[in-house]
Amino acid sequence: MKKQFLATILSAAMVASFCGISVSADEAETYNVGILQLVEHDALDAATQGFKDALTNALGDAVTFDEQNAQGDSATCATIANQFVTNEVDLILANATASLQACVAATEDIPILGTSITNYGSALGIDVATEVIGGNISGTSDLAPLDEQAAMLNELFPEAETVGVLYCSAEANSEYQYETIKTYLEEYGYTVTEYSFSDSNDLQSVCQVAADESDVIYVPTDNTAASNTELIDNVCRPAGVPIIAGEEGICSGCGVATLSISYYDIGYAAGEMGAQILTGEADISEMAIQFAPQVTKEYNAEIAEELGIEIPEDYVAIGAEEEAEAETEVETEADTEAATE
């Protein structure tokens, strides 16, 4: 009986092989990942790219991306998030706070990874006792240590008396940064004043008041500010008021110095987390929020020189590494050409 059964199975396998059907190989698993980015600017763009690179490196062609940009509009965030749910994507990357808020409101089932989120507790309006959010939420944070940023401001401007903090009041994480760094700055003896704007429409007028009343301005990691650095620079630089920025993108546009993280790195870390979730290696409800592995003191050489600010030797000029890499590539190409002649 066993021999007859085995023969039947072998015969079926042979017929299947003649028909071009594989009965031994499993169909390759494929994954559809939704990416909701709040707005286009260098920091968020870098985080998205890092996320995609990590997932592609881990899963190759098995992963496809539905990449959407809300153009800074929270209502559009909600629309995109709901569309991801309708399309039953396997995983969502929420890049920036408004994106995360929209995705969390849209689904409790699809895994959501945040990135470029300063503080998950303030972003979601919850008390987070540990770095594990639980449920279907985890991700990476873009928070550089605010106490160290306050120390950097004091290192560069010890004789300043007034510090204005310029941020968008519609961004919960910016509010969190203001409240936190204010305490640290006041410990250094600064008078700290809040200059909040509701959106880009009133940014210029608020920025002008901040420039008129402050010795130094601090701009935290803020998406609206990051999208309007030229406007801020056009107000503050002619007024001779230096800006300390919360991240590299803002600093390169209007700041003097920053204690910055790599947004590409935190995006890449989120991508590595995503690969583990999709393949079943990890449960998102048990995954802790991850932070940037290192921070770097950086400065904007052009603005620092124009404002006559002396920068300590342990600061790195923004773009210096890229320029060095470009020069190395040119030298390598030249050596190659010389060797072939």
Side-chain angles (χ1 to χ4, degrees):
M1 184 69 179
K2 289 183 179 180
K3 290 182 179 180
Q4 183 179 358
F5 178 75
L6 180 59
T8 302
I9 294 297
L10 290 173
S11 297
M14 290 175 66
V15 170
S17 65
F18 281 125
C19 294
I21 301 172
S22 173
V23 295
S24 60
D26 295 329
E27 290 187 7
E29 190 77 36
T30 58
Y31 311 98
N32 186 22
V33 176
I35 298 176
L36 172 50
Q37 182 173 319
L38 175 62
V39 68
E40 293 178 12
H41 64 67
D42 289 347
L44 300 190
D45 292 348
T48 291
Q49 189 61 54
F51 176 79
K52 292 167 63 178
D53 287 351
L55 270 180
T56 301
N57 289 341
L59 302 174
D61 294 336
V63 61
T64 58
F65 300 103
D66 182 358
E67 188 173 348
Q68 301 291 330
N69 192 296
Q71 303 301 325
D73 185 71
S74 58
T76 304
C77 283
T79 300
I80 295 170
N82 288 323
Q83 190 62 54
F84 285 162
V85 175
T86 300
N87 293 342
E88 298 182 346
V89 298
D90 299 299
L91 176 75
I92 297 174
L93 175 73
N95 192 349
T97 299
S99 301
L100 178 66
Q101 292 167 336
C103 292
V104 170
T107 179
E108 296 180 356
D109 301 316
I110 298 173
I112 301 169
L113 287 172
T115 194
S116 311
I117 311 295
T118 303
N119 180 273
Y120 281 76
S122 60
L124 300 176
I126 59 176
D127 292 327
V128 182
T130 68
E131 293 173 2
V132 177
I133 305 298
N136 64 326
I137 306 165
S138 189
T140 58
S141 171
D142 64 356
L143 180 63
L146 292 170
D147 57 341
E148 294 181 29
Q149 293 190 53
M152 184 183 68
L153 187 149
N154 180 251
E155 177 184 37
L156 295 176
F157 306 105
E159 297 180 2
E161 296 180 357
T162 57
V163 177
V165 182
L166 180 70
Y167 70 93
C168 181
S169 58
E171 299 189 29
N173 278 326
S174 297
E175 175 75 26
Y176 166 81
Q177 290 174 85
Y178 162 67
E179 294 291 349
T180 304
I181 201 167
K182 177 184 178 183
T183 301
Y184 293 127
L185 289 170
E186 288 177 341
E187 290 176 357
Y188 286 105
Y190 296 112
T191 298
V192 182
T193 303
E194 168 190 9
Y195 296 93
S196 61
F197 52 92
S198 59
D199 54 37
S200 59
N201 294 321
D202 64 342
L203 170 56
Q204 182 167 358
S205 60
V206 174
C207 185
Q208 186 63 63
V209 175
D212 292 341
E213 299 179 351
S214 308
D215 296 326
V216 183
I217 290 176
Y218 177 75
V219 179
T221 56
D222 181 285
N223 292 299
T224 309
S227 299
N228 292 275
T229 56
E230 183 177 359
L231 186 156
I232 296 171
D233 186 49
N234 288 339
V235 172
C236 294
R237 200 189 319 193
V241 179
I243 293 172
I244 298 298
E247 55 94 5
E248 180 184 276
I250 296 175
C251 188
S252 63
C254 63
V256 169
T258 181
L259 184 67
S260 186
I261 66 165
S262 166
Y263 276 79
Y264 179 88
D265 286 351
I266 62 170
Y268 198 95
E272 291 179 321
M273 296 170 73
Q276 293 178 328
I277 294 166
L278 290 172
T279 58
E281 296 177 39
D283 182 345
I284 191 171
S285 68
E286 300 174 354
M287 300 181 84
I289 301 300
Q290 294 190 25
F291 295 82
Q294 62 182 17
V295 292
T296 305
K297 287 183 175 181
E298 298 181 324
Y299 72 100
N300 185 321
E302 178 186 337
I303 296 180
E305 181 178 1
E306 185 171 332
L307 297 183
I309 298 169
E310 185 174 346
I311 303 297
E313 294 183 356
D314 60 335
Y315 285 64
V316 178
I318 293 174
E321 293 183 359
E322 289 81 357
E323 290 178 4
E325 290 176 0
E327 289 177 1
T328 301
E329 290 179 2
V330 170
E331 291 174 357
T332 300
E333 290 176 0
D335 292 341
T336 302
E337 290 178 1
T340 57
E341 290 178 354

